[in-house]
């Protein structure tokens, strides 16, 4: 492993973990609750919120490795 900028082999690697949650799916639960309210009043809201809690909310965990050059500070 060498730095693509300066060609040095003084490279440190770091694992970065990112967790992203899908807000759109969350919003869909609330829309469902609103539709439920319009159709069935209060029981509809409860059904909509139950559907939301059932885990259509998707969380995505992605990890990537970042390399930092000790010579020039280049990250890649
Ligand atoms: Zn470098």
């Amino acid at each position: 492993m060498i730095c693509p900028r300066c060609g040095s082999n003084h490279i440190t690697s770091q694992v970065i973990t990112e967790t992203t949650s899908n807000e759109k799916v969350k919003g869909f639960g609330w829309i469902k609750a609103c539709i439920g309210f319009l159709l069935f009043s209060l029981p509809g809201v409860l059904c909509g919120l139950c559907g939301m809690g059932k885990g259509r909310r998707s969380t995505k965990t992605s990890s990537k490795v970042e390399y930092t050059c000790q010579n020039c500070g280049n990250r890649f």
Side-chain angles (χ1 to χ4, degrees), residues 19-38:
T19 307
T20 50
S21 59
N22 199 338
E23 294 293 328
K24 277 179 188 172
V25 176
K26 230 189 218 174
F28 182 68
W30 279 106
I31 291 164
K32 253 168 86 179
C34 287
I35 292 166
F37 179 75
L38 290 171

Side-chain angles (χ1 to χ4, degrees), residues 2-19:
I2 58 164
C3 174
R5 192 194 281 176
C6 68
S8 167
N9 60 357
H10 294 277
I11 306 295
T12 55
S13 62
Q14 189 179 10
V15 179
I16 298 164
T17 310
E18 289 176 332
T19 307

Side-chain angles (χ1 to χ4, degrees), residues 3 7-8 10 12 15 20-22 27 32-34 41-42 45-46 49 58-59 63-64 66 69 74-75:
C3 174
S8 167
H10 294 277
T12 55
V15 179
T20 50
S21 59
N22 199 338
K32 253 168 86 179
C34 287
S41 195
L42 191 62
V45 174
L46 293 174
L49 291 176
S58 64
T59 49
S63 58
K64 60 174 183 175
E66 191 179 78
C69 175
N74 185 31
R75 287 184 178 187

